Every structure is written in structure tokens, then in C-alpha cells.
């Protein structure tokens, strides 16, 4: 563990046999790129460069999600702080913690104690963000955990404060298919004690206020930042597995799958080509126009997600949407297991 002053600790989580999302990167890549259709897990987006690109995406005019969720949090942060009282705030996929500052301000305004535990796979952005927060919040203490969500949830120690709130904002739950989503929420529940909280941000399904075109533009912006983010996955694999993906021979594709209520992102091969990942002995043949499926972003129905949370003993205690019902922030509380 690296210690940076008395108020900041950065810890790199250890891989465990039962944390497959960390321990079998090579196996997952081999399986994904040798099946039809080809797939890659979204976690490979987030090297340091990918994390920085995602921060740029959040500021794009087309990407309504960040602005809308930020506005909702500004409206409800004081109510959340009042409901929960002093606590340990664990944030999954913390990134630059921009929206987290809204919560920190609300707890500070009510003179409540808060310990912050940001979790991110990018050590660089986690350390940079933590140091910035410590400059702006004089009494804040931070334990930064470098690792995957699954590692963090399994390795969280007991809370040092009366309660804990796990925050999963930014609509990231939508990246998980239904079965994985159910399993993940079970891991959330297992990391909480009765009375603890789970704060969730979700993007809602298209409506009269949010057309399919608006939704698709959020994942295929005019500046090409989302395309660069998608393509950076291949650069990450090249570095990690001594690969020779030629990024100029792939293009970004994003569309809304109405039947499954999800955005799908793909990388389309511009020509027939062969790619090698030398360190894992993998040769991949791609036909012209063949795609590699890199991400889904599911869009939720409010009643359905509350029922899903309830199946894990997470009862909704506060819910708020924007006036146009595009996005929702849901605070739930764990009941007796």
C-alpha cells in the first residue's frame, strides 16, 4: 500500500482465484475472439488513455447522460445525506469523481462525517483525482482501491463508520447483460449490512422525450471521441498481449437494439485481415465487415429495476428523475438478509 500523507492511501487489490474478471484476461480474450460473433469485455476500455477518453465523452453535447444525472444529484444530494447520515461512501468506477463532489458538498453542508473509498481500474486517474479532492475537502479521508468491481466488493473490510453507501452512478449498470446484472446486484447486497445503502444511476428507455436518434447520437458523437474510445480497446490489447491490431482497419459502430432495450457498440473490420496477439499465441481471422461486439448499454424501466433490487433485499427509499424522465437516481436500503 502506498501512503500519501495521513489522509490518502492507495491500495492495489490482489487477484483471487474466484475473481474471474481479473484473473483470466487471456482466456476471456481467446474465447471472445474465437467465437461467432466475436466479443470483447468492456473492461478493456479502461486503461489510463481509455479512462481519459471517457471523461471527454461525458462532456460531449450529445452525451446527455452526465449532464442529466448531475442535475438530478444536485436536486437530491441534500435529501440523500439527510436520509443516510454519516457514512463510508464506496464508489465503483469513480473516474474523475466530478459528480461525487455534489455528494461530498451535501454531507459537508450538514456537518456529517464521510470517508470516501473510490474504486477504479486506472491507478493514474484514481491517484490524480484523490489528490485533487484532498485539496478541496480539508477533513476528507480517502482509501483508493485499484482493481475491478468484483475484487473490491469481495475485499472491502468492515466499515469504520455507522453505515456504508455503495454508489454506482453514471449508468454503468447498463453495461451488464441481465444475468450478470442479477449476479452483480447480489454482490452489492453481500457487501452491505442491514441498514446500509446503494445509490444507483440508470438511463431510462426511450420515450416521447428521448428519441432513438438522440440515444444513438450519445454513443456516436460528431467529434469522434466515442469512436476513439472504442478503438482504444484494440490499442490496449496490442500493448497487453503484444498484438498487431491496425486501428486504421476498424471502424466504430453504435446502434439501439429496440428488442433488447440496449445500445450496442461494435468494431467493424474494414477488410479481410489477420491479427496476432503474440504473448497468448492467438491468431484471429476477420472477414470484411465482420464485427467485434465491445459493449452494451441497457436502458431501464423504473418499475422493473426496483423489482430487481427488491429481489436482493434492496428496498427503494428515494427515487428521482429529471423532468423529461430520461434518467433516474435510485437510493435503496438493504433489509435483513
Amino acid at each position: 500500500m502506498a501512503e500519501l500523507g495521513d489522509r490518502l492511501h492507495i491500495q492495489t487489490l490482489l487477484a483471487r482465484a474466484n475473481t474471474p474478471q481479473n484473473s483470466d484476461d487471456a482466456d476471456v480474450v481467446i474465447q471472445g475472439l474465437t467465437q461467432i460473433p466475436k466479443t470483447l469485455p468492456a473492461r478493456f476500455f479502461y486503461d489510463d488513455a481509455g479512462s481519459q477518453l471517457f471523461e471527454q465523452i461525458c462532456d460531449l453535447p450529445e452525451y446527455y447522460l452526465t449532464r442529466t444525472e448531475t442535475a438530478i444529484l444536485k436536486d437530491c444530494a441534500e435529501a440523500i445525506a439527510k436520509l443516510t447520515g454519516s457514512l463510508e461512501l464506496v464508489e465503483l468506477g469513480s473516474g474523475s469523481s466530478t459528480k461525487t463532489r455534489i455528494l461530498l458538498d451535501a454531507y459537508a453542508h450538514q456537518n456529517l462525517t464521510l470517508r470516501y473509498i473510490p474504486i477504479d481500474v486506472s491507478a493514474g486517474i484514481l491517484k490524480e483525482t484523490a489528490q485533487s479532492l484532498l485539496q478541496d475537502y480539508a477533513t476528507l479521508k480517502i482509501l483508493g482501491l485499484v482493481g475491478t468491481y468484483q475484487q473490491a466488493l469481495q475485499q472491502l473490510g468492515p466499515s469504520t463508520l455507522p453505515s456504508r453507501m455503495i454508489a454506482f452512478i453514471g449508468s454503468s449498470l447498463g453495461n451488464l447483460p441481465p444475468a450478470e446484472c442479477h449476479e452483480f446486484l447480489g454482490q452489492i447486497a453481500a457487501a452491505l449490512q442491514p441498514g446500509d445503502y446503494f445509490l444507483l444511476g440508470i438511463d431510462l428507455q426511450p420515450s416521447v422525450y428521448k428519441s432513438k436518434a438522440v440515444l444513438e447520437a450519445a454513443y456516436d458523437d460528431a467529434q469522434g471521441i466515442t469512436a476513439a474510445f472504442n478503438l482504444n480497446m484494440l490499442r490496449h490489447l496490442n500493448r497487453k498481449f503484444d498484438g498487431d491490431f491496425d486501428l486504421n482497419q476498424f471502424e466504430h459502430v453504435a446502434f439501439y437494439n429496440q428488442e433488447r432495450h440496449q445500445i450496442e457498440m461494435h468494431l467493424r473490420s474494414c477488410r479481410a485481415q489477420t491479427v496476432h496477439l503474440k504473448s497468448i499465441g492467438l491468431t484471429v481471422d476477420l472477414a470484411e465487415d465482420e464485427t467485434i461486439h465491445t459493449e452494451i448499454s441497457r436502458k431501464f424501466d423504473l418499475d422493473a429495476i426496483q423489482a430487481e433490487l427488491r429481489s436482493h433485499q434492496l428496498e427503494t427509499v428515494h427515487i428521482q428523475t429529471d423532468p423529461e424522465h430520461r434518467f433516474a437516481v435510485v437510493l435503496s436500503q438493504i433489509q435483513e438478509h
Side-chain angles (χ1 to χ4, degrees):
M1 179 186 292
E3 296 189 13
L4 303 168
D6 294 334
R7 296 163 54 214
L8 173 61
H9 298 268
I10 303 291
Q11 179 181 351
T12 299
L13 298 176
L14 300 176
R16 292 184 176 181
N18 59 346
T19 54
Q21 292 236 349
N22 184 73
S23 61
D24 67 351
D25 280 355
D27 290 344
V28 167
V29 169
I30 291 169
Q31 179 181 348
L33 292 180
T34 54
Q35 67 184 24
I36 298 175
K38 292 177 171 60
T39 64
L40 286 168
R43 68 178 183 269
F44 289 116
F45 284 133
Y46 296 104
D47 59 355
D48 285 350
S51 295
Q52 294 289 350
L53 283 166
F54 184 72
E55 294 300 324
Q56 293 180 47
I57 288 171
C58 291
D59 291 332
L60 291 169
E62 297 95 333
Y63 199 77
Y64 65 86
L65 294 85
T66 300
R67 291 190 304 277
T68 307
E69 185 178 39
T70 298
I72 294 171
L73 284 170
K74 286 179 178 178
D75 284 343
C76 68
E78 293 281 348
I80 289 171
K82 185 175 182 180
L83 272 168
T84 66
S86 297
L87 52 67
E88 177 183 87
L89 172 60
V90 179
E91 184 175 9
L92 303 179
S94 54
S96 65
S97 299
T98 302
K99 286 174 284 192
T100 314
R101 288 173 177 266
I102 301 169
L103 293 169
L104 296 180
D105 289 342
Y107 282 85
H109 183 251
Q110 297 186 35
N111 295 314
L112 296 169
T113 302
L114 188 146
R115 182 187 188 221
Y116 182 43
I117 303 182
I119 296 159
D120 205 281
V121 293
S122 171
I125 197 167
L126 192 150
K127 181 178 177 180
E128 178 184 339
T129 297
Q131 290 175 329
S132 175
L133 288 173
L134 291 180
Q135 290 178 359
D136 295 336
Y137 298 90
T139 62
L140 184 64
K141 293 184 178 181
I142 299 177
L143 170 62
L145 301 181
V146 181
T148 65
Y149 304 154
Q150 287 77 8
Q151 285 177 284
L153 292 171
Q154 289 186 356
Q155 298 183 46
L156 279 174
S159 175
T160 59
L161 289 169
S163 66
R164 166 180 288 163
M165 180 167 72
I166 296 177
F168 196 42
I169 55 180
S171 73
S172 298
L173 188 70
N175 299 142
L176 302 177
E180 291 182 28
C181 178
H182 184 80
E183 180 182 0
F184 173 75
L185 291 175
Q187 293 170 338
I188 292 285
L192 298 173
Q193 296 297 316
D196 286 349
Y197 297 91
F198 178 45
L199 184 66
L200 176 64
I202 51 171
D203 198 20
L204 301 178
Q205 293 174 8
S207 65
V208 293
Y209 299 110
K210 183 174 70 177
S211 68
K212 177 183 173 184
V214 167
L215 189 55
E216 289 182 338
Y219 295 85
D220 193 9
D221 61 280
Q223 296 179 52
I225 305 299
T226 313
F229 173 71
N230 200 7
L231 288 161
N232 182 68
M233 180 183 282
L234 302 183
R235 185 179 289 111
H236 186 188
L237 292 180
N238 280 347
R239 185 177 63 256
K240 190 175 182 70
F241 299 115
D242 191 17
D244 58 5
F245 279 104
D246 181 351
L247 274 63
N248 293 319
Q249 297 304 321
F250 290 86
E251 64 179 4
H252 166 69
V253 177
F255 60 89
Y256 185 64
N257 184 324
Q258 183 73 48
E259 182 180 351
R260 296 186 176 181
H261 305 295
Q262 65 189 30
I263 284 282
E264 296 184 10
M265 292 206 330
H266 299 256
L267 291 165
R268 177 185 290 150
S269 178
C270 298
R271 61 174 175 83
Q273 56 184 307
T274 299
V275 177
H276 309 89
L277 297 175
K278 301 181 186 64
S279 70
I280 55 176
L282 180 63
T283 298
V284 182
D285 294 316
L286 293 118
E288 183 176 1
D289 293 329
E290 186 177 0
T291 68
I292 302 172
H293 188 183
T294 55
E295 185 180 45
I296 63 168
S297 184
R298 293 168 60 214
K299 308 305 171 186
F300 293 93
D301 173 81
L302 264 181
D303 290 338
I305 192 63
Q306 289 183 85
E308 174 70 16
L309 290 168
R310 195 174 300 115
S311 74
H312 298 281
Q313 289 76 50
L314 286 160
E315 287 290 340
T316 300
V317 294
H318 187 87
I319 190 165
Q320 190 153 339
T321 69
D322 61 291
E324 296 181 337
H325 206 73
R326 295 174 297 178
F327 202 98
V329 171
V330 181
L331 179 67
S332 57
Q333 187 175 35
I334 191 79
Q335 310 300 304
E336 291 287 346
H337 292 280

